[in-house]
């Protein structure tokens, strides 16, 4: 792998396959969580300028299970809240010579900027509405735990596509593997140009059409923090785009439901669906650790 991992768009399918294959070794069923010493003596800095539960924790657990030392820095608990510029924060961290920096930032391209600036490998943990590569990798791992291949699967991605880095990274990944990708959401959250982002992508405003014959239904949170326009009232959003049990009969009988979290129950998905047998939401979280171990190992070992 190149220096770090900035996005899915720029990496080869073979690279993705290697990570997904290696992640299997770190899955709970095969890995008894004995602490490995693969990365002993290395330091991974988690630099989070935006809130996170799953991503930050799982990167930290992944690094620790591989034997690395980890340090987590959040914007509110650091000098970033004292007005320090991004460049100064980065130079300060760079001067401590960490072995890798995992970074989340509200600005699209922030990790790319950082990687041009520092010799340290950078792993993008979400940059604005741009990419969230390890999320797409863990999503692919989760699908492949239940399906043989990604090719020809019909994957519906439903919700606030416009502001979703999870959607973008998943579109790039699934497209590289020949999946059929249907994007669905209200017109204000579904820009038409997304139809051209990658091969195999189509758009619909109708949730029923999106779900029809789907193998995988990926739900997304409405990212109010990234919206500048007045938001769609939540009751109305739920009426048109909330995933309910009744929708599931339109999908393939063995369809799976996914969500990167955090989920807003009663807004984009009902509890009945989120907690059902078809839901793979907690498997996604489990795979988050396994996939991040595979990524860290590939970059640092
Ligand atoms: C997502 C994110 O931060 O992009 N969450 C995550 O990493 N699991 C999605 C979201 O915040 O809605």
């Amino acid at each position: 792998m190149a220096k770090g991992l900035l996005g899915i768009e720029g990496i080869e399918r073979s690279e993705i396959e290697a990570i997904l294959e290696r992640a299997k070794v770190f899955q709970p069923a095969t890995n008894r969580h004995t602490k490995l010493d693969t990365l002993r003596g290395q330091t991974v800095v988690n630099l989070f300028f935006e809130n996170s539960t799953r991503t930050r924790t799982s990167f930290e657990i992944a690094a620790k299970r591989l034997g690395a030392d980890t340090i987590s820095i959040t914007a509110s608990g650091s000098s970033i809240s004292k007005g320090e510029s991004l460049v100064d924060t980065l130079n300060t961290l760079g001067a401590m010579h960490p072995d890798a920096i995992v970074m989340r930032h509200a600005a699209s391209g922030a990790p790319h900027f950082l990687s041009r600036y520092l010799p340290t490998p950078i792993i993008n943990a979400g940059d604005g509405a741009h990419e969230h590569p390890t999320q797409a990798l863990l999503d692919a791992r989760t699908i492949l735990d239940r399906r043989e291949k990604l090719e020809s699967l019909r994957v519906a991605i439903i919700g606030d596509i416009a502001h979703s880095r999870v959607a973008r990274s998943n579109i790039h990944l699934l497209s590289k593997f020949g999946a059929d990708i249907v994007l669905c959401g209200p017109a204000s959250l579904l820009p038409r140009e997304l139809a051209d982002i990658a091969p195999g992508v189509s758009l619909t405003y109708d949730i029923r059409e999106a779900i029809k014959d789907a193998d995988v239904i990926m739900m997304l949170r409405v990212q109010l923090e990234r919206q500048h326009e007045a938001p769609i009232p939540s009751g109305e959003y739920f009426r048109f785009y909330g995933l309910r049990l009744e929708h599931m009969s339109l999908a393939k009988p063995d369809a799976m439901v996914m969500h990167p979290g955090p989920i807003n129950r009663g807004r984009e998905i009902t509890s009945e669906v989120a907690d059902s047998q078809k839901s793979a939401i907690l498997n996604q979280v489990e795979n988050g650790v396994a996939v991040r171990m595979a990524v860290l190992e590939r970059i640092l070992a």
Side-chain angles (χ1 to χ4, degrees), residues 20 139-150:
L20 296 178
D139 287 344
R141 183 64 271 157
T142 307
I143 298 172
L144 288 169
D145 288 344
R146 299 189 185 204
R147 295 299 177 105
E148 241 155 63
K149 51 184 173 48
L150 299 172

Side-chain angles (χ1 to χ4, degrees), residues 42-73:
Q42 303 210 51
T43 303
V44 176
V45 171
N46 277 326
L47 181 59
F48 277 66
F49 293 86
E50 275 195 330
N51 294 341
S52 173
T53 306
R54 280 147 285 267
T55 307
R56 187 161 63 83
T57 315
S58 59
F59 263 114
E60 196 160 332
I61 292 175
K64 287 200 159 90
R65 285 201 183 143
L66 291 171
D69 295 315
T70 62
I71 295 156
S72 282
I73 302 168

Side-chain angles (χ1 to χ4, degrees), residues 99-166:
D99 297 284
I101 297 177
V102 176
M103 183 193 196
R104 169 170 285 191
H105 199 282
S108 298
H112 308 69
F113 168 75
L114 174 57
S115 83
R116 281 194 295 272
Y117 215 81
L118 292 178
T120 318
I122 309 296
I123 302 170
N124 182 3
D127 63 322
H130 180 223
E131 279 230 40
H132 191 351
T134 55
Q135 180 71 44
L137 290 166
L138 74 89
D139 287 344
R141 183 64 271 157
T142 307
I143 298 172
L144 288 169
D145 288 344
R146 299 189 185 204
R147 295 299 177 105
E148 241 155 63
K149 51 184 173 48
L150 299 172
E151 200 187 335
S152 317
L153 286 187
R154 181 171 159 92
V155 182
I157 308 182
I158 301 168
D160 181 0
I161 314 280
H163 301 100
S164 177
R165 52 199 177 203
V166 174

Side-chain angles (χ1 to χ4, degrees), residues 1 12-28 30-31 136-138 140-142 144-145 147-150 173 177 287 290-295 297-298:
M1 188 181 275
E12 299 286 330
R13 178 177 160 152
S14 56
E15 185 72 40
I16 296 169
E17 283 166 337
I19 295 168
L20 296 178
E21 196 51 38
R22 183 65 184 155
K24 275 200 217 166
V25 175
F26 300 125
Q27 284 180 316
T30 40
N31 171 39
L137 290 166
L138 74 89
R141 183 64 271 157
T142 307
L144 288 169
D145 288 344
R147 295 299 177 105
E148 241 155 63
K149 51 184 173 48
L150 299 172
L173 191 152
F177 286 83
N287 279 328
V291 157
R292 287 171 179 127
M293 285 176 82
V295 167
E297 180 191 64
R298 207 163 167 84

